[in-house]
Amino acid sequence: MIGAIAGDIVGSVYEWSNYKAKDFSPLFRADCFYTDDTICTIAVADALLNQKPPAQCLKDWGLRYFENNGWGSSFRRWLKSPDDGPYNSWGNGAAMRVSPAAWLATSLEQALEFSRMVTEVTHNHAEGLKGADATTAAIYLARQGKVAADIRTYLQTTFGYDLSATVDQIRPTYVFNESCQGTVPQALTCALEATSFEDAIRNAISIGGDSDTVAAIAGPVAEALFGMPDWIQSEVKSKLPGEMTRVLAELYR
Ligand SMILES: [Mg+2]
């Protein structure tokens, strides 16, 4: 889960100013910051850890940090609306916030059940649900020690994503896309092709597009595959308010 937040923070400065290469430096630019991807991930963790209704929890955290400017337009409207119902979204927000489902589950079935619980409250379109489930499954299987090649095969056969393009093949033509179907396959490839956590984040930034969200989806898969260096975890925590680091600590306990 902290891998999602690391990806969001690193990517925050590239979302509107893509950098299509892996050699950016430093990894955490001085002006990087957490965005909606982090706020929603923390809200999902809080809901699952403390048995809170997911829609209410997303609204509570979202409204408390509403001044963050990264919201998708439909989600922003939903946050402000008195209506708590889902709005058939296929947005990539379903996948960027879902990682706690995989970290808190003790079986793949339970991980997918958690994914459904926290996703259907807003992203109840088939592509939204699929994006969340595929991301959750990738993280869960990596946590169980499955290798990248097996995870790729599982994702292709179970969810029908075409994961045949490499990062180098995706990069030249990839552009901003806010859908699950136009973000999740590419983000998963960035993690599955990586050689380390940092390499996965560099892959994610290098393809461009919705950089913070691509990296927030690739990040937790890479975290589960490779683990995360202490210095990256410390850097992430130093950027977060205390009530967010407390939720993180609770999740890893
Ligand atoms: Mg964002």
Side-chain angles (χ1 to χ4, degrees):
M1 172 191 172
I2 191 172
I5 299 177
D8 178 40
I9 292 175
V10 172
S12 62
V13 291
Y14 299 110
E15 177 178 8
W16 305 115
S17 169
N18 282 175
Y19 184 81
K20 287 215 172 207
K22 294 176 69 170
D23 64 350
F24 57 91
S25 180
L27 185 63
F28 289 86
R29 232 167 66 181
D31 56 342
C32 65
F33 57 99
Y34 66 85
T35 82
D36 56 318
D37 307 68
T38 293
I39 298 163
C40 290
T41 300
I42 294 283
V44 163
D46 186 24
L48 291 173
L49 281 164
N50 300 304
Q51 285 85 46
K52 296 179 181 173
Q56 195 52 53
C57 217
L58 283 162
K59 283 207 173 184
D60 287 349
W61 282 95
L63 292 173
R64 197 148 72 248
Y65 290 91
F66 191 73
E67 74 282 6
N68 157 71
N69 227 6
W71 308 110
S73 54
S74 303
F75 190 78
R76 174 196 294 270
R77 256 196 311 280
W78 179 82
L79 278 180
K80 285 288 193 186
S81 144
D83 180 11
D84 272 347
Y87 56 96
N88 207 32
S89 176
W90 36 253
N92 55 24
M96 61 68 161
R97 74 188 191 200
V98 79
S99 56
W103 287 93
L104 290 169
T106 53
S107 68
L108 180 58
E109 292 66 36
Q110 189 182 42
L112 294 171
E113 191 186 311
F114 286 168
S115 166
R116 187 58 54 121
M117 277 169 52
V118 300
T119 304
E120 67 188 6
V121 296
T122 50
H123 292 58
N124 55 326
H125 187 281
E127 289 292 346
L129 295 167
K130 180 163 101 171
D133 283 354
T135 304
T136 300
I139 301 166
Y140 189 81
L141 293 171
R143 285 189 60 214
Q144 297 310 112
K146 293 276 183 283
V147 299
D150 292 346
I151 297 172
R152 181 184 284 110
T153 303
Y154 176 87
L155 295 171
Q156 291 187 127
T157 52
T158 307
F159 299 102
Y161 284 145
D162 178 1
L163 301 178
S164 59
T166 64
V167 172
D168 283 343
Q169 288 168 335
I170 293 168
R171 189 181 299 113
T173 54
Y174 190 65
V175 292
F176 190 95
N177 190 307
E178 63 179 3
S179 73
C180 268
Q181 54 272 42
T183 310
V184 174
Q186 293 80 2
L188 293 174
T189 296
C190 289
L192 294 174
E193 202 183 290
T195 55
S196 67
F197 178 80
E198 181 172 338
D199 189 52
I201 298 298
R202 290 185 177 280
N203 279 341
I205 303 306
S206 79
I207 66 169
D210 190 355
S211 294
D212 54 339
T213 297
V214 175
I217 297 167
V221 180
E223 175 190 2
L225 282 169
F226 305 107
M228 272 172 74
D230 287 344
W231 78 268
I232 294 183
Q233 299 200 34
S234 304
E235 193 77 36
V236 167
K237 289 173 191 163
S238 76
K239 299 271 186 193
L240 298 179
E243 63 171 353
M244 292 194 192
T245 54
R246 281 194 289 280
V247 173
L248 263 182
E250 206 184 330
L251 181 126
Y252 286 99
R253 207 164 39 233

